[in-house]
Amino acid sequence: MIAVDRSRDGTLLVSASSDHTARLEGHTDDVTSVAISKDGHRIATASKDGSVRVWTRNGDCLLVAAHHGVGVNAVAWFPDGRRLAAASDDHTVSIFDSRTGRIRRVLEGHSDAVEHVAVYPDGVLLASASRDGSVGIWNAATGADLAMLPLGFVDARTGVVARDSVAA
């Protein structure tokens, strides 16, 4: 198992796996991330096949959004449920419409694959963590890079950030 998420009311649990499944069938490569919308009605999955998929609770695929033809490592819902953020191997985070798949904004600034993405509860700020050892803080509405923190090491599986060394 690579990722897991549960609905706020605890009635839905979804896991993503390297066997190309998220207990939902459709991806053609490893499923790297799973996220449940705030209302608990939709599930988003990301995959190394270069797509983000949106599903119903019953497993019906509502949307397949291609993501630059490269692997997608993480996906996160915005609180409004209308947008998703996707972190990818092309060093970017894309923000797109969760109903149409249309990309609204691409956040650029990392120099290696982006492994993790999180949307703040206010839906305005977004954080990304990259294999380049940096964590980016972004204004999701404008795309402004508010901070790029060179923290050293970001573990691809866990998202744990650690400094390479400690100054004396």
Side-chain angles (χ1 to χ4, degrees):
M1 184 170 23
I2 294 175
V4 66
D5 196 15
R6 71 173 180 81
S7 61
R8 289 177 184 259
D9 64 6
T11 62
L12 180 64
L13 179 71
V14 181
S15 64
S17 175
S18 61
D19 68 359
H20 308 180
T21 66
R23 298 204 181 209
L24 304 162
E25 295 187 24
H27 285 291
T28 59
D29 204 339
D30 291 356
V31 177
T32 55
S33 180
V34 60
I36 299 171
S37 62
K38 184 177 178 181
D39 66 10
H41 293 184
R42 291 176 294 154
I43 302 159
T45 55
S47 173
K48 287 296 185 183
D49 68 9
S51 72
V52 171
R53 293 174 183 253
V54 176
W55 312 81
T56 66
R57 288 178 68 111
N58 297 327
D60 298 319
C61 187
L62 299 172
L63 174 74
V64 178
H67 190 279
H68 309 293
V70 299
V72 182
N73 300 312
V75 65
W77 286 96
F78 278 78
D80 64 11
R82 295 187 311 244
R83 296 170 293 160
L84 284 162
S88 75
D89 284 340
D90 70 355
H91 312 181
T92 68
V93 174
S94 291
I95 299 171
F96 61 93
D97 186 292
S98 66
R99 288 181 169 76
T100 67
R102 184 177 71 86
I103 294 177
R104 291 184 174 184
R105 186 166 310 284
V106 177
L107 308 177
E108 299 176 294
H110 290 291
S111 62
D112 204 341
V114 182
E115 295 287 347
H116 301 279
V117 64
V119 178
Y120 283 61
D122 65 8
V124 175
L125 297 177
L126 181 146
S128 58
S130 170
R131 270 189 223 146
D132 66 12
S134 68
V135 171
I137 307 296
W138 312 84
N139 180 313
T142 66
D145 175 355
L146 302 176
M148 191 60 67
L149 309 170
L151 298 177
F153 172 78
V154 178
D155 184 280
R157 288 264 191 219
T158 65
V160 172
V161 179
R163 283 200 158 307
D164 288 335
S165 61
V166 177

